[in-house]
Amino acid sequence: MSRAHYWRVLAFFLLPAVLVYSAFSVYPLLATIVDSFYLRHPGAPETFNGLGNFYTLLGDTTWSKPFWNAFGNNCLFFLIHMVVQNPIGLALAALLSLPQLRLRNTYRTLIFMPTMLSVVVIGFVWQLILSPLWGVWKSFLVALHLGFLFGPYLGQEHTALLTISLISVWQFVGIPMILIYTALLAIPDELVDAATVDGLNQWQTFFHVKLPLIWPTIGLVSVLTFVNNFNAFDLVYVMEGALAGPNYSSDIMGTLFYRTFFGNQLQLGDKTMGSTIATMMFLFILVGVMIYLFLIQRRMQRYSF
Amino acid sequence: MLKSVTKIAALAALGVCAMAATASAGDLVIESWRNDDAAIWKDQIIPAFQKGHPGINVTFSPTAPKEYNAALNAKLEGGTAGDIITCRPFDASLELFNKGYLASVNDLPNMKNFSDVAKAAWTTDDNKTTFCVPMGAVIHGFIYNKDIFKELSLAEPKTEADFYAVLDKIKADGKYTPLVMGTKDQWEAATMGFQNIGPNYWHGEDGRKGLIDGTQKFTDAPYVDTFKALAKWGPYMGDGYKAQAYPDSQNLFGLGKGAIYAAGSWDISTFHAQNVNMGAFPPPVPAGAKDCYISDHTDIGIGMNAKGKNTADAKVFLDWIGSEEFANIFANALPGFYPLSNAKVEVKDEVAQSFVSWRGQCKSTIRDSYQILSRGTPNMENELWTVSANVINGTQTPEDAAKQIQDGLAKWYKPQQK
């Protein structure tokens, strides 16, 4: 293969992806960052404002209070996913990979199903289930003599975000499950057999042989969760509207960005402040992913089969 | 497989839409958020227009109310919006005009049919240019279930004391939800709560104009008292009202499970469809008040896309919207939306008739957050949604709520910084 031919082949395979990503990912991102350096004037062209928008966003309480409120809520949203969704995903994957399990594919499909449903459907269905007026959740709890646990979850400040987070966990638990399950399948039988010969039971085999081998996958799942959670918007918007009530208690970065950029009712959209919030979201995600790449991923030992 | 089929179907639909958008001259597309009224436009209003103007085809192409503003802005910026634009009142449309997306309608012959008050919501701050034809107003009040009132032998309450007495009786009986409203969607609390009963406290236009020129503050008695009245509503609002959304409220009253519904007049057609035997009463007057006031809000106008391909036909259509013929069709096809023109209109629907009859007894005003006051950050309308829901939920005191709104307003609004 001549050198020129090599480059041609390389371009043939790389160009489509480069073009699509540049047009639909890289360019909009850069344009957003550029927009965040400009100031909007009603009825007049925008002017360059340097870091002014960032000073406003972080320094003026009118902006900073909602911003840090959304950031805090978003951290909680992410924490709930890390503490609830990923361990459950891991446990389900471990159960699925048990050799004597029957109906494995049925379970896998059922657990993965909500991930494929539209968020609008999920929001609607869960609102119906949890509705204090006609929901089944109330009768279900009453039948179990747990009626005192019922409340208008989506309308109380201390329960709204938690409820939405758990619905999101229910929706997306299939993704960590599938990823970890495939990693478990890739572990050679020889290792498991050797562990059995050495007298380890199922539990010990899982914790001492399988788990160390799937840490890289769990790391990947955590990063995916982080990126998705800090970009989340749709579920809160569907369940609580653009104002992310009650009293902004379910407001996350995505909904704050949406209100600012597109406006809501009488609030007119503000392109430059919206872009400033979007840029901050991008920076948070960038820093988070970099911490993972440089501090965690590099230390991981990979077992080469 | 199924996914790819839906994708292809969606693409095909998009293609059809794109073709519709690049329609030839003689076709008009109406952008609107009134997806509830799509059938009425298609079956009644548009055919009536085409009887007199056979050469012009009109398509009504609505978006969901929640997405309308954002979607319309995107379409206008991308140059794909329809020729006719349904106008939200005040600033949202004013901004579109300032950006050059809406054209002036000053020169339409039928604009003489509208008073300055009717045109205020779609006129520039200097009163020189009107950019949308006023189409309709909505009136706030309370709709009640006549059968339940008869069963419990209750009469329409006139004063606040009567109102609470009636609610207490319904509550004591225990069979029905006394006051149907939820706080989950928040706008209900602000629109059917705060803006509904408030005008009686702040004396309609006096209070509204006082806030705009800075002679009144949100922390003054009338506004705090409005919140205090709202704070009493919670216990009457039925189980789980905190998680009750607007459609839940509509169903609760529509199914005859609730006695009194905090309403906007646009709800009338919804309840007619569910055959509710209903009546309506205006917001009860507080003790010692002589006059009554109602929120008679200029809610919907219609203008034309300045960059549209078919401005000549658009003008013909808009002028027809300003005519007496349209006013009569609109008032009767959409009971609960009241034409703003000076034309003689006969409203045939009994409930809609009783709403509009209050115009004769009480003084009209519009929602106080709509003109000028929602131009800054924090946005007053959004804040009102939030604090009104908080006050009803009992998580914020009336004084606190009023202070939050006043502080937010004083942050950016010069007349309030004195």
Side-chain angles (χ1 to χ4, degrees), chain B residues 158-161 197 200-201 283-291:
Chain B
K158 293 266 180 296
T159 65
E160 269 205 336
I197 60 172
N200 272 330
Y201 287 92
V285 288
K290 284 195 291 293
D291 300 320

Side-chain angles (χ1 to χ4, degrees), chain A residues 78-125:
Chain A
F78 169 59
L79 196 73
I80 292 169
H81 280 76
M82 283 303 281
V83 172
V84 182
Q85 173 191 279
N86 297 346
I88 291 179
L90 176 65
L92 289 172
L95 288 174
L96 279 181
S97 65
L98 289 176
Q100 54 278 68
L101 181 78
R102 283 196 226 146
L103 296 176
R104 174 171 322 188
N105 292 350
T106 315
Y107 290 128
R108 211 175 52 197
T109 312
L110 281 177
I111 295 166
F112 201 75
M113 193 75 87
T115 309
M116 296 186 287
L117 287 176
S118 138
V119 173
V120 177
V121 173
I122 285 176
F124 184 70
V125 166

Side-chain angles (χ1 to χ4, degrees), chain A residues 40 43 60-63 116 127 131-134 138 152-157 237-241 243-248 258-259 262 264-269, chain B residues 3 66-67 69-70 88-89 91-92 95 98 184 186 239-240 242-245 248 251-252 255 257 369-370 374 377-379 381-383 385-386 390 393 395 411:
Chain A
R40 188 184 65 119
D60 174 353
T61 49
T62 311
W63 287 96
M116 296 186 287
Q127 281 199 56
S131 165
L133 295 166
W134 10 73
K138 193 175 180 178
Y153 306 125
L154 292 170
Q156 298 174 144
E157 284 178 47
Y237 181 71
V238 170
M239 308 273 306
E240 299 281 5
L243 281 194
N247 205 14
Y248 302 109
Y258 177 87
R259 272 203 313 278
F262 292 105
N264 176 61
Q265 194 72 10
L266 302 188
Q267 179 184 346
L268 300 175
Chain B
K3 252 202 155 140
K66 243 189 351 186
E67 281 87 35
N69 295 20
R88 298 268 193 197
D91 288 9
E95 192 197 34
N98 287 337
K184 180 177 169 290
Q186 303 193 108
D239 230 11
K242 290 178 186 170
Q244 179 179 321
D248 293 334
N251 283 321
L252 202 60
L255 296 167
K257 292 173 185 280
S369 52
Y370 270 63
S374 284
T377 310
N379 180 277
E381 177 72 359
N382 290 354
E383 292 279 291
W385 289 17
T386 302
N390 290 350
N393 289 348
T395 56
K411 256 186 182 141

